[in-house]
Amino acid sequence: MLVSYKWLNEYVDVKDVAPKDLADRLSLTGIEVEGLESPEDGLKKIVVGDVKECIPHPDSDHLSICQVDVGEEELSQIVCGAPNIKAGVKVIVALPGSRIAGNVKIKKGKMRGQVSNGMICSLQELGYSDSVIPKEYSEGIYYLPEDAVAGEPVFPYLEMDDTIIDLSITPNRADALSIRGVAHEVAAIYNKKVNFPAVELKEADEKASDKITVSVTDENDAPHYEIRIIENVKIGPSPQWLQNRLMNEGIRPISNVVDVTNYILLLFGQPLHAFDYDKLGSKEIMVRRAKENEPFTTLDSVERTLNPENIVITNGDIPVALAGVMGGLDSEISDETTTVALEMAMFDHTLVRRTSQSYNLRSEASMRFEKGINQGDISLAGEVAAAMIAELADGKVLQGAVKGSEVQPKNIEVSTTLENVNRFLGTDLSQEQINDIFKALGFASEVRDGVTTASVPPRRWDITIEADLMEEIARIYGYNNLPSTLPEGQTVAGFLTEAQKATRKVRNLLEGAGLSEAISYALTTEAKAQQFLLNESKVTRVAWPMSEDRSTMRLNLISGLLEDLSYNVARKNNDVAFYEIGHVFYQNNDPKKDLPIEQNHLAIAVTGNVVDKSWAGKAKACDYYTIKGMVEELIEGLGLTESISYQALQMPEMHPGQTAGIYLGEKRIGFVGQVHPKMAGNYELKSAYVAELNLEALIGSEKAPLVFEAVSKYPAVGRDIAMLVNESSTNSDITEIISAAAGKFLTKLQVFDVYQGANIETGKKSMAYTLTFVNPEATLTDEEINRIMDKVTKKLEEKLEAVIR
């Protein structure tokens, strides 16, 4: 919400408070200020110019030579390329030595051989955004009012000498989404009075009800809906003051009638809509739900297909507006409009939000309907708007507003006690101080039998319970004035649970392996949520997502980490190794439970090199063994090596030949491997290696106790064995057989060669292992080792049909 300091001072006198001090005080009372901006900052020597003469440049088909009065004794010659430059208009002139937007300095120079003493400026060159400049001036220079005095600074004429306060309004303080609401807030902070000048609405004898009828099919959809009729309007540009005010508030001036509706939106926080009465096609307005697949073309010229979740304004038959969101193309105000049907309404905030989101039509109006409006000022806003249209467009307001439904807001009474306030806030306030705070807020209050009852007006619809009153007292008294107290009572030493200790150990192990922790969004797309699944599950969609990219609760951590890898690689950070610990959200298909099951997972994602190129050697790219080694280090650090096994696994998102399932006993708790090249390409990665495990299963499993053994004083004996096995045989199968057959003296088993190719028959592969034996009590003899190796050989031949080489 952009708030003009000058405009605010029209309703509450804070001229003695500097804008920065006001912004600081607002922030201290709960309304965050994003920043302050004065449009004239950085600009200098920019004045009003009166174009006395304008002739074509002799050596250019688009330039003009202008003689401009800039308040000096002689006219100043300026060459201008704007298509709308002409004699007899007042313009913005940047004199030689001036500064325009972007800190650009203007110098005296020549253009095609003609001297140019400065520059005739457009609004863009003063820093205005294209989105707020009136369309007739978007491609050229801006005309100042005829009464502008040549040579005077241009800033007061455009109200650029104002200060704009950018407020960040939280959903609970939607009352501050208007100048009047902010005025009430500022008045309460500084204990001043607000002054809203009365507006006299002059109505004609002819009744509006003779021109139109209004009906609402369901008052829950539109609790308040009324129409005013203004005849004989003349559509044209708004006066300078209104255009200035809208542009400073970030809104493009369009025409006098449309600008009034936007002005009232800012002033009251009440969205209005103006229909061209003659284009409605009937004398009836009906508010109803849209029909299934009902077509409607909005103001942006897009035809949309509606559904029964949308509220529409109709002419009794076809829609003419999408309630609370956008008007229809066929009934918009145009230069030919002579009669205006002005809508003041209140719509169901849930339906407005659904409609605006489903059609991606977010607007200032829909935002206010969603968050709430002041029910007490709906009709007043319409009266002020009608009076302004009558004044600015020479219109005639017909008598009365035609209403289809009407709310009757009442003050809400909320009670508290002095004891509760002081206990809640830790203060020592008196009853008089609390009464003064309520008075500053504009709440009538009464004290009876020690109970203070505040009467809260409709403009503060966020206050309904005692805790809300406590917050208001604290805000106005000053959060910075609340006393600081230390906790009382006996303290208890904190400790970590076993799961927290295990998770901390996991982090230490992973970071020791060279990984950095990443935190990804828990919300993703439905497609990404269903990738890299450990368990099949339905997705959990968010009821009201901010965007489709963040609409579904994740079922895996890897898709988020791949996004992180992609983000880094796109910025030339090519060697990245991440891990993440976080929840995934499974549905157990239990119709009695709406909420998903949260399961704690661990994921790893690596891309690029694990060893950088240097004088001592070549770079080494990460591969399957890199990621598997990281997983094995983690498993070993948790003491689960004996319980974990690996088996070949097929997953659509993973490389078919470089992916293994990770099993705890008989249960698969994760997987490790290379991301399928096509999937990696979707993230613009050359290659990526990932792993994901069920962390709850890991840290929740029973671990073998850690037993320290003395280093054996007897020598170790090593033997190698090479075999020819079927290519379907896995390292896991072979090591399991060897370990079982070799017995207790086998202390280390390591594969040192794998070969498949020439001189090996098709469907076979050669694998070679080193076995290390140690007897902690005696030296092993050759006979003992030979017996063990014979047993190993026999088991391999029996179970795998291995051929020992």
Side-chain angles (χ1 to χ4, degrees), residues 230 260-261 264 268 272 342 344 380-390:
I230 305 105
V260 166
T261 62
I264 295 299
F268 284 88
L272 306 178
L342 185 64
M344 293 73 69
L380 176 61
E383 292 174 9
V384 175
M388 287 185 66
I389 293 174

Side-chain angles (χ1 to χ4, degrees), residues 240-440:
Q240 185 71 43
W241 70 267
L242 182 52
Q243 292 194 34
N244 291 342
R245 194 147 283 178
L246 292 179
M247 287 192 292
N248 282 343
E249 295 283 344
I251 296 177
R252 184 200 301 275
I254 297 173
S255 68
N256 45 14
V257 171
V258 177
D259 291 352
V260 166
T261 62
N262 286 327
Y263 178 84
I264 295 299
L265 173 76
L266 297 171
L267 179 58
F268 284 88
Q270 171 63 50
L272 306 178
H273 185 70
F275 298 99
D276 186 323
Y277 174 82
D278 296 320
K279 293 179 182 177
L280 290 175
S282 74
K283 293 185 177 182
E284 179 184 3
I285 288 288
M286 175 187 289
V287 183
R288 62 169 171 82
R289 293 287 186 98
K291 302 172 184 175
E292 191 67 52
N293 297 324
E294 187 170 18
F296 174 62
T297 303
T298 46
L299 276 172
D300 54 3
S301 301
V302 176
E303 182 171 316
R304 306 179 190 275
T305 302
L306 308 182
N307 61 71
E309 283 199 338
N310 310 137
I311 308 172
V312 289
I313 315 302
T314 72
N315 64 357
D317 182 21
I318 61 173
V320 294
L322 203 50
V325 178
M326 186 175 284
L329 182 65
D330 295 336
S331 60
E332 69 172 331
I333 300 296
S334 65
D335 293 342
E336 292 75 35
T337 299
T338 58
T339 303
V340 173
L342 185 64
E343 169 195 277
M344 293 73 69
M346 172 186 172
F347 300 109
D348 180 89
H349 62 93
T350 302
L351 294 176
V352 171
R353 179 171 173 80
R354 286 179 183 172
T355 299
S356 65
Q357 283 199 329
S358 60
Y359 300 112
N360 196 24
L361 290 174
R362 303 286 294 172
S363 65
E364 292 289 328
S366 66
M367 176 186 68
R368 284 168 172 79
F369 278 127
E370 291 169 22
K371 295 182 177 181
I373 60 173
N374 181 2
Q375 300 179 21
D377 281 352
I378 298 175
S379 296
L380 176 61
E383 292 174 9
V384 175
M388 287 185 66
I389 293 174
E391 178 185 353
L392 302 181
D394 296 329
K396 179 180 69 173
V397 182
L398 300 192
Q399 187 182 128
V402 185
K403 299 180 180 179
S405 58
E406 185 176 8
V407 291
Q408 299 290 344
K410 296 180 180 179
N411 289 10
I412 296 176
E413 293 190 348
V414 186
S415 299
T416 187
T417 65
L418 178 62
E419 180 185 359
N420 286 352
V421 170
N422 286 324
R423 178 172 53 83
F424 190 88
L425 301 180
T427 54
D428 190 23
L429 296 174
S430 66
Q431 184 66 56
E432 185 179 358
Q433 286 176 294
I434 292 177
N435 293 344
D436 288 342
I437 288 173
F438 287 149
K439 184 178 179 181

Side-chain angles (χ1 to χ4, degrees), residues 729-749:
S729 297
T730 65
N731 174 64
S732 177
D733 296 334
I734 296 171
T735 55
E736 184 178 348
I737 293 170
I738 293 175
S739 298
K744 63 182 180 179
F745 296 148
L746 179 66
T747 58
K748 186 177 181 181
L749 175 60

Side-chain angles (χ1 to χ4, degrees), residues 417-485:
T417 65
L418 178 62
E419 180 185 359
N420 286 352
V421 170
N422 286 324
R423 178 172 53 83
F424 190 88
L425 301 180
T427 54
D428 190 23
L429 296 174
S430 66
Q431 184 66 56
E432 185 179 358
Q433 286 176 294
I434 292 177
N435 293 344
D436 288 342
I437 288 173
F438 287 149
K439 184 178 179 181
L441 286 164
F443 301 169
S445 62
E446 181 184 13
V447 181
R448 181 176 296 177
D449 298 330
V451 176
T452 304
T453 302
S455 181
V456 183
R459 61 179 174 81
R460 290 301 306 274
W461 61 93
D462 58 307
I463 301 174
T464 55
I465 60 176
E466 183 182 13
D468 296 330
L469 284 186
M470 303 290 191
E471 182 182 2
E472 292 303 300
I473 294 169
R475 286 193 321 104
I476 304 305
Y477 178 67
Y479 290 127
N480 55 319
N481 294 323
L482 296 180
S484 299
T485 56

Side-chain angles (χ1 to χ4, degrees), residues 607-735:
T607 189
N609 294 330
V610 289
V611 177
D612 291 333
K613 178 181 178 181
S614 69
W615 64 271
K618 297 180 180 179
K620 180 183 177 183
C622 64
D623 55 19
Y624 171 77
Y625 299 104
T626 304
I627 188 80
K628 188 166 184 284
M630 292 175 176
V631 173
E632 288 178 338
E633 282 187 35
L634 172 66
I635 298 300
E636 183 179 0
L638 293 176
L640 294 172
T641 302
E642 299 298 325
S643 305
I644 295 293
S645 60
Y646 303 87
Q647 298 180 20
L649 182 67
Q650 298 292 320
M651 293 179 67
E653 299 86 11
M654 300 293 289
H655 192 293
Q658 295 194 39
T659 304
I662 304 172
Y663 289 80
L664 179 63
E666 300 296 322
K667 182 180 179 182
R668 181 160 71 92
I669 62 164
F671 60 89
V672 59
Q674 181 181 1
V675 176
H676 196 287
K678 288 185 178 179
M679 178 64 69
N682 293 340
Y683 289 92
E684 299 182 353
L685 299 170
K686 291 181 180 179
S687 65
Y689 296 86
V690 299
E692 182 157 343
L693 299 98
N694 180 348
L695 187 59
E696 289 181 6
L698 271 183
I699 64 180
S701 62
E702 185 175 349
K703 302 172 181 62
L706 185 62
V707 179
F708 292 92
E709 294 181 354
V711 177
S712 174
K713 60 184 178 180
Y714 299 100
V717 179
R719 289 290 179 89
D720 293 344
I721 184 171
M723 68 198 79
L724 201 65
V725 295
N726 294 326
E727 64 179 357
S728 60
S729 297
T730 65
N731 174 64
S732 177
D733 296 334
I734 296 171
T735 55

Side-chain angles (χ1 to χ4, degrees), residues 8 10 16 29 51 55-56 90 120 130 173 189 254 359 399 427 446 453 469-470 477 517 538 614 630 654 691 751:
L8 182 64
E10 293 179 10
D16 56 331
T29 54
V51 181
I55 61 173
K90 302 288 180 67
I120 297 176
D130 288 336
R173 288 304 309 274
I189 293 171
I254 297 173
Y359 300 112
Q399 187 182 128
T427 54
E446 181 184 13
T453 302
L469 284 186
M470 303 290 191
Y477 178 67
E517 185 172 14
K538 293 194 305 182
S614 69
M630 292 175 176
M654 300 293 289
V751 61

